[in-house]
Amino acid sequence: MVRQREGKGDPVALKEEGNALFKSGDLQGAVCCYTKALKLSDSRTETAVLHRNRSACYLKLEEYSKAEADASKALDTDPGDVKARFRRAQSFQKLGRLDQAFLDAQRCAQLEPKNKLFQDLLRQLGSAQLNSTDARVQQMFSLLLDASAKDSDRQKAAQNLVVLSREEAGAEQIFRNDGVKLIQRLLLSKQVEVVLSALRTLVGLCTGHQSRTMAIVNELGMEQLCTVMGSEASTVSLAACHLLQVMFEALNAGMKKEVRGKDEAILPEPSKELRSMFRHLLEMMPAANVSGSGRDSAINLLVKQVPRKSLKNPDNSLTLWVIDQGLKKILEVAGTVTELSEGPPITDNSHMNCSVLLSKLYDDLKSDKERENFTKLCEEYVQQHFSRPGIDGKLRAIQTVSVLLQGPSNVGNRTLEMSGMMDAVISLCASEDVTHQQVAVEALIHAADKAKRASFITANGVALLKDLYKKSENDRIRVRALVGLCKLGSAGGTDFSMKQFAEGSTLKLAKQCRKWLCNESLPATSRRWSVEGLAYLTLDADVKEDLVEDKSALLAMFELAKSEDKTVLFAVGSTLVNCTNSYEVEKPDPQLVELAKYAKQHVPEEHPKVLLVKLLEAGVVSALVCMVKQESPALTEACRECIARVFLALVGRQEDRGTVVAQGGGKALIPLASDNTDVGKIKAAQALAKITITSNPEIAFPGERIYEVVRPLVSLLSLECTLLQNFEALMALTNLAGISERLRQKIIKEKAVPKIEGYMFEEHDLVRASATECMCNLVLSTEVQKLYLATGNDRLKLLVLYSGEEDERLRKAAAGTLAMLTAEQPELCTRITGTTTHWLEILQALLLSDLSDLRHRGVVIIQNMMQAEKSLAETVMESEALEILSVLAKGGEGTPEPVSKIAQNCLDKAVEYGIIRNREGGEKGKGTEP
């Protein structure tokens, strides 16, 4: 009891007392001491040790959840603490969380390979895990093979198999027990849920494992997998598509030696298997027995897997091989007209998906010779059909040209210029057959992209389009004709010298588009064309204002964005970019604007804030989130860039960010920051930065998602980004760095520290201060502290000098960093004296500051220096700092209690050293006085 009273306010004494009680077997007493010490301790290192020690107590007391929690807290501070990790492994074992226990035990054994305790625990866990998993696998197999079992029981067993396959031990047991043969039988089941479970189990077996993947491909055969993917059931088709995607990734990783498994080193080159898989996908293109959704899945896989991920990679041989083996097969899908008898089954998305694939293949070509060959093959295919007798061949040729115009437009333009092609398009627009009209009008719309051709079509086709719009009795034709007029009416964008129609025409066209958009009696495939029209017309400020005021039109557009028709995605994205003014556009010359007003020309004004509020009220965020989730080639990089631009505009105002986060905007931005155009990545990253600055990151990006935000933010620390983007990234990283050691480690791993240090020298006051604030949080990490401990650099000197700057924000950040560094690394206290001859004046100025925050930082630095070394304390006490500390210690008005308390501690330390002594009445005086 006496010892407890002695250590009542001293965390170190309490820890020692707890250790003694633990050794004597008084576990509850030890827990009590460690808990009291944790409440008093300011040192992160000491806190980690206390959590680790208390974890040992809880283990012996069989309170395993508490033991695990304490061990985890210790590891948050020091991931290399092997004792804490061992205790957490023991806790996990007792809690039955064998997978997590195994990982911790494995890490302990890696850190200390000769430790018998660690090796024994690892063997126990490995054996227990294997036995447990093996029993579960056998149980699932027995149920699935039992013909007399209930369907519901078999379905549940199949789902349990999926869960087991996601664990490495379970996946290996399934594979070694001839599970692939069983799964092959399950794939033939007529129950969709059983087939889905079989496909998802295969995903678990193949994920990241090359040897198993190759064995499964060889045993099942690509033909069977493609047959499953060609199923009429869209959920089965998508699941099979996902499985093949995982297989491709595993085989590609094998080529890069990023694989799991012991057998990888002796495996053959997997490129033959890959080419075989691609050949089967290409054969699905024209196959009549493949469903439309299955064909779309095959196109999606080709889009993702064939073109180079980076143009810096010189090898585009796979693209050349696909063009050689399958370009004409892809064009078969592109040229399919649903209403005609010939051609494979397609969906409403198939043509757009083909456009994306053809564009990707063309963009992956490296030389004029390769591009010329691609164009030649396309021309030959189009000519082959165009020259056939009868109308069907011409329709297929024109449909193919339409798809090419939406994809590799240069190739599309070349095919459109073929002899007789444009005349045929104009001629078919006047046909009485609805199918003929539809194919021709769509080709005309896609052909009007270039100003030169828009002028030609305006001269030759506008009257025809107007006639179709007014006289056609078919809504499909009327809405397409309307879009053609919209496109021609907006030719030239904001350049009024290139306008084809009279002023005011765009408002009338837009009004009609909104009317069609809200007409629910029309099919979605027709209504989406009205969004295409608005995508062109909303370049006009008055048009976008009218649209945003029309809530029913906005809701209809958002519903389309969430629908099965993926072809509308880019049109919705473009329309929203226009409505939020989130495109880069040069500001008009003020003098020209004045001249336009003088000439009584209408100059529309933009009201972005009002527009944004209206869009948010209509539910734009949920629509954008749904668009990002779409697994479709139609979600192109250009479309992703549009979405990123809109998100950035929506989070521009601080008061709107909570709404965006609450509706899932934060989550949606993360993939947009990694899979996008270069501009789109920056826009998405900046939007993430704005959210992270003003929202609680742990709420905005819950769970593991918060770690995914770091890389996009670090990417903004680049000279290619604007100073505002640099500043916002630094502010966001500052918030993240203050949350946990794991996040700091993630920031360090992304090599952000040198970049942040670079911005500490930036001329702009706000950027320099923000970089220093970020460093202030990062120095909580031992790894960053070591940078300041290293000799031969001026890092410490910079902090001291910044602590004396006039910029208050910079002074606070620099002084705060010094306070933490000197607390964690006392060695740096002595080095401060060698940074500059004015170091003492700078610290005194902090003590005398009118700002309590600066005074607090100043007294903490002084306290750390005095505790570090007696000679430093003497230097400080021989200066005016003694008098300043004496005044601060008295407290009074304007001096916060923490400041006066620390100042008193400094004086007490000086008394302890014998530098000064107490006078009567509590005053301080030098120790040499009588």
Side-chain angles (χ1 to χ4, degrees):
M1 293 299 293
V2 174
R3 292 183 65 186
Q4 277 187 328
R5 282 197 297 272
E6 287 174 355
K8 187 176 180 182
D10 184 356
V12 175
L14 282 165
K15 183 187 79 171
E16 290 173 357
E17 183 179 351
N19 293 347
L21 291 170
F22 179 82
K23 287 177 184 175
S24 67
D26 185 357
L27 299 175
Q28 290 290 2
V31 167
C32 184
C33 285
Y34 294 142
T35 303
K36 288 179 181 177
L38 281 166
K39 291 177 182 177
L40 296 169
S41 178
D42 293 327
S43 167
R44 287 173 49 77
T45 306
E46 191 65 43
T47 300
V49 173
L50 289 165
H51 278 301
R52 184 183 72 196
N53 291 358
R54 195 170 67 175
S55 176
C57 295
Y58 285 136
L59 264 174
K60 287 186 176 291
L61 289 166
E62 299 183 5
E63 295 185 48
Y64 302 121
S65 294
K66 291 181 179 180
E68 181 271 318
D70 267 347
S72 293
K73 286 174 183 175
L75 288 169
D76 282 342
T77 301
D78 183 8
D81 187 338
V82 71
K83 286 185 180 178
R85 194 167 292 280
F86 181 61
R87 283 166 193 166
R88 191 169 74 172
Q90 292 174 301
S91 306
F92 279 143
Q93 182 188 25
K94 295 295 185 181
L95 290 166
R97 292 153 69 177
L98 299 182
D99 289 346
Q100 291 166 288
F102 184 82
L103 290 173
D104 273 343
Q106 193 175 46
R107 180 64 180 148
C108 289
Q110 288 170 349
L111 292 169
E112 294 185 17
K114 295 180 180 179
N115 190 310
K116 191 174 182 301
L117 280 174
F118 298 166
Q119 295 293 346
D120 288 346
L121 179 61
L122 191 61
R123 275 192 291 273
Q124 286 174 31
L125 289 168
S127 176
Q129 196 178 28
L130 197 61
N131 293 335
S132 171
T133 304
D134 191 30
R136 284 187 290 166
V137 168
Q138 291 298 336
Q139 184 184 4
M140 296 309 109
F141 278 8
S142 299
L143 262 172
L144 289 166
L145 294 170
D146 184 359
S148 62
K150 294 179 183 177
D151 285 347
S152 58
D153 290 340
R154 295 181 74 192
Q155 283 183 13
K156 190 172 181 180
Q159 289 167 0
N160 288 338
L161 210 58
V162 175
V163 175
L164 285 167
S165 71
R166 290 171 181 164
E167 304 168 3
E168 176 55 27
E172 195 61 27
Q173 283 299 308
I174 293 169
F175 185 73
R176 293 189 183 281
N177 283 282
D178 285 333
V180 178
K181 288 182 180 177
L182 171 66
I183 292 167
Q184 192 168 21
R185 289 167 58 185
L186 296 179
L187 289 173
L188 300 174
S189 170
K190 293 181 180 179
Q191 294 183 2
V192 170
E193 287 302 319
V194 171
V195 176
L196 287 173
S197 296
L199 290 168
R200 289 164 184 162
T201 302
L202 288 172
V203 167
L205 297 181
C206 293
T207 300
H209 206 297
Q210 184 197 0
S211 60
R212 283 204 296 256
T213 300
M214 291 184 72
I216 290 167
V217 170
N218 291 329
E219 189 162 344
L220 292 180
M222 266 301 288
E223 191 170 347
Q224 181 175 5
L225 291 173
C226 287
T227 300
V228 175
M229 191 165 72
S231 164
E232 290 290 344
S234 59
T235 51
V236 171
S237 180
L238 286 171
C241 178
H242 177 58
L243 168 61
L244 287 171
Q245 173 76 15
V246 168
M247 287 178 160
F248 279 126
E249 288 170 357
L251 294 177
N252 280 322
M255 295 173 74
K256 299 171 187 173
K257 304 191 185 305
E258 297 171 359
V259 289
R260 289 190 280 133
K262 297 177 182 178
D263 306 326
E264 321 303 347
I266 58 172
L267 287 172
E269 171 67 44
S271 61
K272 289 182 180 178
E273 272 72 21
L274 283 170
R275 287 177 191 253
S276 171
M277 292 169 81
F278 287 128
R279 183 176 285 108
H280 278 89
L281 292 178
L282 290 170
E283 286 171 358
M284 288 179 72
M285 296 294 111
N289 62 341
V290 173
S291 69
S293 59
R295 186 169 286 99
D296 285 348
S297 293
I299 295 172
N300 196 0
L301 284 167
L302 290 168
V303 167
K304 288 182 177 179
Q305 295 300 325
V306 174
R308 292 170 290 173
K309 298 294 180 289
S310 169
L311 295 179
K312 292 178 182 178
N313 176 10
D315 183 17
N316 70 337
S317 59
L318 189 54
T319 292
L320 296 175
W321 181 84
V322 167
I323 290 170
D324 182 57
Q325 299 288 319
L327 180 58
K328 291 191 176 180
K329 292 183 176 74
I330 297 166
L331 292 174
E332 282 289 311
V333 183
T336 297
V337 179
T338 310
E339 289 77 8
L340 301 182
S341 57
E342 61 177 309
I346 61 171
T347 69
D348 294 332
N349 300 305
S350 298
H351 285 148
M352 174 63 78
N353 293 346
C354 272
S355 293
V356 174
L357 175 56
L358 291 166
S359 184
K360 288 273 188 183
L361 293 173
Y362 186 76
D363 291 342
D364 200 36
L365 299 177
K366 296 190 296 185
S367 66
D368 290 341
K369 183 179 178 182
E370 291 175 357
R371 284 184 279 272
E372 186 60 36
N373 178 61
F374 184 99
T375 305
K376 183 183 175 185
L377 290 170
C378 291
E379 285 179 328
E380 286 175 356
Y381 178 85
V382 171
Q383 185 61 49
Q384 175 191 340
H385 283 284
F386 192 73
S387 59
R388 279 168 46 191
I391 197 67
D392 286 5
K394 288 181 174 52
L395 288 172
R396 283 185 66 83
I398 293 170
Q399 180 60 59
T400 306
V401 171
S402 270
V403 170
L404 288 167
L405 284 166
Q406 293 176 83
S409 56
N410 289 340
V411 181
N413 286 322
R414 279 272 295 271
T415 54
L416 191 64
E417 288 162 4
M418 291 169 61
S419 177
M421 184 65 68
M422 199 66 191
D423 291 336
V425 171
I426 297 291
S427 173
L428 285 171
C429 281
S431 169
E432 293 182 2
D433 187 291
V434 173
T435 300
H436 300 175
Q437 286 182 332
Q438 183 173 319
V439 172
V441 171
E442 287 184 15
L444 204 61
I445 292 169
H446 298 312
D449 268 335
K450 287 192 175 180
K452 181 180 176 183
R453 188 165 287 117
S455 301
F456 168 79
I457 296 171
T458 303
N460 296 275
V462 166
L464 191 59
L465 288 170
K466 284 182 178 178
D467 203 44
L468 283 170
Y469 175 65
K470 290 177 181 176
K471 296 181 179 178
S472 176
E473 295 179 2
N474 189 288
D475 289 339
R476 290 187 302 166
I477 301 302
R478 293 188 69 207
V479 73
R480 284 164 174 78
L482 176 64
V483 172
L485 292 169
C486 291
K487 193 167 186 178
L488 294 169
S490 66
T494 54
D495 184 350
F496 282 87
S497 68
M498 294 185 67
K499 291 294 180 186
Q500 306 289 341
F501 296 161
E503 187 176 345
S505 299
T506 50
L507 282 171
K508 292 177 184 177
L509 290 169
K511 185 177 180 181
Q512 191 58 50
C513 280
R514 299 202 311 273
K515 183 180 175 183
W516 285 106
L517 179 59
C518 296
N519 186 351
E520 293 184 4
S521 64
L522 279 173
T525 50
S526 293
R527 291 169 63 208
R528 68 103 172 163
W529 279 96
S530 58
V531 185
E532 292 271 356
L534 290 169
Y536 299 117
L537 296 175
T538 45
L539 287 166
D540 185 297
D542 287 338
V543 171
K544 74 183 75 174
E545 284 183 33
D546 283 354
L547 172 61
V548 171
E549 290 293 336
D550 189 344
K551 191 169 183 178
S552 59
L554 288 178
L555 291 172
M557 183 170 69
F558 296 158
E559 284 305 310
L560 278 178
K562 300 173 186 178
S563 72
E564 290 297 314
D565 185 2
K566 310 297 190 300
T567 56
V568 77
L569 294 179
F570 185 70
V572 173
S574 299
T575 304
L576 290 173
V577 165
N578 293 339
C579 289
T580 54
N581 303 322
S582 49
Y583 44 74
E584 269 86 27
V585 61
E586 289 185 19
K587 296 277 185 182
D589 187 324
Q591 291 183 340
L592 292 178
V593 172
E594 289 303 315
L595 284 172
K597 288 179 179 177
Y598 180 75
K600 296 185 179 179
Q601 290 182 9
H602 175 59
V603 180
E605 295 183 15
E606 297 177 350
H607 306 286
K609 289 183 181 178
V610 176
L611 300 183
L612 290 172
V613 170
K614 297 280 186 183
L615 286 169
L616 285 165
E617 289 173 352
V620 66
V621 176
S622 62
L624 292 171
V625 170
C626 284
M627 289 167 72
V628 173
K629 288 179 180 177
Q630 302 284 4
E631 274 292 329
S632 167
L635 188 65
T636 59
E637 285 191 340
C639 186
R640 287 173 177 274
E641 182 183 317
C642 288
I643 298 171
R645 285 178 178 276
V646 176
F647 265 127
L648 180 57
L650 293 173
V651 298
R653 298 195 318 158
Q654 184 174 332
E655 57 265 39
D656 295 331
R657 291 172 195 169
T659 303
V660 174
V661 169
Q663 295 178 20
K667 178 182 177 182
L669 277 163
I670 294 173
L672 290 174
S674 58
D675 183 9
N676 214 320
T677 62
D678 290 341
V679 171
K681 288 176 184 177
I682 290 172
K683 300 291 183 186
Q686 189 178 4
L688 285 170
K690 287 179 182 289
I691 289 172
T692 310
I693 290 168
T694 53
S695 304
N696 181 343
E698 292 175 288
I699 295 173
F701 312 105
E704 293 296 305
R705 203 166 289 133
I706 194 170
Y707 302 99
E708 298 175 47
V709 178
V710 173
R711 182 171 293 174
L713 295 179
V714 174
S715 72
L716 292 177
L717 301 180
S718 164
L719 295 175
E720 295 173 2
C721 296
T722 65
L723 210 55
L724 175 63
Q725 289 164 346
N726 301 153
F727 170 70
E728 290 179 333
L730 289 166
M731 294 273 286
L733 287 168
T734 301
N735 281 359
L736 293 179
I739 292 173
S740 71
E741 177 60 20
R742 189 178 166 194
L743 269 169
R744 286 190 287 275
Q745 287 298 321
K746 176 67 175 171
I747 294 169
I748 294 166
K749 188 178 178 182
E750 292 296 334
K751 300 179 180 177
V753 174
K755 295 179 181 180
I756 294 164
E757 286 187 316
Y759 285 104
M760 288 174 71
F761 292 93
E762 176 60 50
E763 289 183 10
H764 197 287
D765 289 347
L766 286 174
V767 176
R768 187 170 64 244
S770 295
T772 310
E773 286 171 346
C774 192
M775 188 58 68
C776 183
N777 283 347
L778 285 173
V779 294
L780 290 168
S781 174
T782 308
E783 198 168 329
V784 179
Q785 292 168 20
K786 288 176 182 176
L787 296 175
Y788 284 86
L789 283 169
T791 55
N793 67 75
D794 291 330
R795 290 186 175 94
L796 193 64
K797 180 179 179 179
L798 184 68
L799 290 177
V800 174
L801 292 173
Y802 278 180
S803 297
E805 287 284 316
E806 291 182 6
D807 182 359
E808 289 177 358
R809 186 171 171 184
L810 180 61
R811 287 181 78 192
K812 283 182 183 179
T817 312
L818 272 180
M820 280 189 277
L821 279 171
T822 50
E824 297 293 332
Q825 301 293 341
E827 181 185 335
L828 292 173
C829 295
T830 308
R831 293 195 196 176
I832 287 176
T833 61
T835 55
T836 171
T837 54
H838 305 297
W839 68 271
L840 194 50
E841 288 96 329
I842 290 170
L843 295 184
Q844 288 172 356
L846 290 174
L847 296 175
L848 292 168
S849 173
D850 293 334
L851 297 173
S852 59
D853 285 347
L854 284 174
R855 272 179 283 163
H856 187 266
R857 287 160 171 76
V859 291
V860 169
I861 297 167
I862 293 290
Q863 177 180 248
N864 294 340
M865 293 181 75
M866 292 185 68
Q867 288 176 342
E869 199 171 299
K870 184 179 178 180
S871 61
L872 285 176
E874 289 174 341
T875 303
V876 171
M877 289 297 105
E878 287 171 1
S879 71
E880 294 177 10
L882 171 59
E883 186 177 343
I884 301 168
L885 288 169
S886 299
V887 173
L888 291 175
K890 290 177 182 177
E893 191 176 343
T895 304
E897 185 180 344
V899 173
S900 60
K901 185 178 179 182
I902 297 169
Q904 185 63 54
N905 291 344
C906 293
L907 297 173
D908 291 344
K909 193 67 179 176
V911 171
E912 183 185 323
Y913 283 141
I915 301 169
I916 62 172
R917 65 180 178 80
N918 279 327
R919 289 181 178 177
E920 286 183 10
E923 292 182 10
K924 307 293 177 183
K926 291 190 179 180
T928 54
E929 291 181 7

